[in-house]
Amino acid sequence: MGRVDGKVVLISGGARGMGAEEVGLFAREGARVVFGDILDDLGQQVETEQRALGHDVAYAHLDVTSEADWQSIVALAEERYGLLDALVNNAGISISAGGGAGNIAMEDTSVDDWDRVMDINSKGVFLGTKAAIPALRRAGGGSIVNISSIAGMTGAWSRSHPYNASKGAVRLFTKATAIQHAAEGIRANSVHPGPIMTPMSESTYADPEVAAQRLALVPLGRRAHPIEVAYGVLYLASDEASFVTGAELVIDGGCIAQ
Ligand code: NDP
């Protein structure tokens, strides 16, 4: 018996990184998974791989900044599987100066940088939630898991201002969702990963000096594998977390405990 047997789960940014890991884990644990991304070739590849394993998954194009894309992917989930039980708002971007410490100084941050990061990381979560709430309500309740970051809880020399701001917005938006929809049986929680081995952070960690500086700040002394975050997301989406809402799950190797 899987931990999310028969549940219908929608995951954004599922073509690679943590999102792709979550697609695989949820499917292994018995869920039917609809997932979207802007990287259609990769997304279709993940779909093919998962189906070859006998998993019931469906990929569709989803730009999280598009309200119309969100409406269609939620409709796809309901048409294909009859209902929606859970939403994982995972898609996100980080901006960096490229190859260096990964941060961009305030004076070098353009209005376009700010808008792009806020659009994808914050507005994307709002639009996903807005589209999913009526479907979760029709299902009689459900779970929303928003991927924030430790950057949504603390500032750091190594991060850009808009990234911190966008992830902080996700943290509080999650609590507003939890409170406003608790009476409908809809739970909402945020996950706050520390450094994880995904394509997003590869260019930063490719520089051994920067990697050493960053890892020195991690009590467990390493970056995590995406599965170590996916298990937390699975827990929050599942019925095991039936009394958990408005909570923050930090998965960061001890970074913000110090
Ligand atoms: P990845 O870049 O590996 O994966 C994110 C996926 O989201 C990519 O496929 C990306 O495509 C996609 N995406 C970007 N923009 C959009 C959009 N507009 N609509 C739909 N999909 C989009 O990153 P991670 O797996 O590392 O990140 C997953 C989440 O975890 C993000 O929210 C990130 O901020 C967060 N996080 C990551 C940490 C880390 O150390 N990796 C730490 C803390 C939080 P594209 O490549 O085109 O951008």
Side-chain angles (χ1 to χ4, degrees):
M1 172 100 176
R3 292 172 63 187
V4 282
D5 243 1
K7 286 200 187 293
V8 180
V9 181
L10 170 55
I11 300 175
S12 70
R16 69 175 207 192
M18 279 187 262
E21 193 74 34
E22 287 152 16
V23 171
L25 178 63
F26 275 83
R28 286 198 296 284
E29 291 294 338
R32 295 166 289 170
V33 183
V34 176
F35 67 107
D37 205 297
I38 47 175
L39 303 174
D40 293 330
D41 289 348
L42 263 185
Q44 274 147 14
Q45 202 179 307
V46 171
E47 181 189 65
T48 306
E49 287 163 7
Q50 289 297 319
R51 286 187 179 172
L53 294 168
H55 295 155
D56 195 352
V57 307
Y59 174 78
H61 179 83
L62 169 69
D63 178 344
V64 294
T65 66
S66 159
E67 193 160 16
D69 281 5
W70 272 115
Q71 297 294 343
S72 3
I73 202 163
V74 169
L76 169 71
E78 286 193 304
E79 275 156 26
R80 192 176 160 100
Y81 298 118
L83 81 170
L84 180 68
D85 292 299
L87 166 68
V88 180
N89 279 308
N90 163 79
I93 59 162
S94 124
I95 52 166
S96 81
N103 59 334
I104 301 185
M106 173 78 84
E107 306 91 299
D108 299 328
T109 302
S110 68
V111 171
D112 281 350
D113 289 336
W114 176 273
D115 287 345
R116 200 161 60 88
V117 173
M118 294 301 284
D119 263 13
I120 295 171
N121 293 6
S122 300
K123 191 167 81 183
V125 171
F126 155 61
L127 291 176
T129 305
K130 185 179 173 193
I133 287 281
L136 296 174
R137 191 180 285 134
R138 282 191 285 276
S143 173
I144 299 174
V145 184
N146 293 330
I147 310 303
S148 175
S149 168
I150 54 171
M153 309 173 98
T154 58
W157 60 270
S158 57
R159 303 185 197 111
S160 62
H161 300 80
Y163 190 74
N164 274 117
S166 70
K167 292 298 186 179
V170 171
R171 182 189 189 197
L172 262 295
F173 178 81
T174 306
K175 294 189 196 305
T177 306
I179 299 310
Q180 292 187 15
H181 298 280
E184 300 177 297
I186 298 171
R187 299 183 294 104
N189 295 284
S190 53
V191 173
H192 301 263
I196 316 298
M197 288 182 274
T198 69
M200 177 186 274
S201 58
E202 277 326 303
S203 65
T204 304
Y205 282 86
D207 178 334
E209 208 174 305
V210 173
Q213 271 178 338
R214 289 197 170 208
L215 291 180
L217 301 172
V218 186
L220 287 183
R222 63 176 176 89
R223 286 193 289 160
H225 187 276
I227 191 72
E228 297 177 273
V229 176
Y231 278 124
V233 177
L234 178 77
Y235 164 69
L236 290 171
S238 78
D239 293 338
E240 294 166 11
S242 50
F243 201 53
V244 182
T245 197
E248 300 166 1
L249 179 55
V250 177
I251 304 176
D252 72 341
C255 289
I256 66 162
Q258 51 199 338

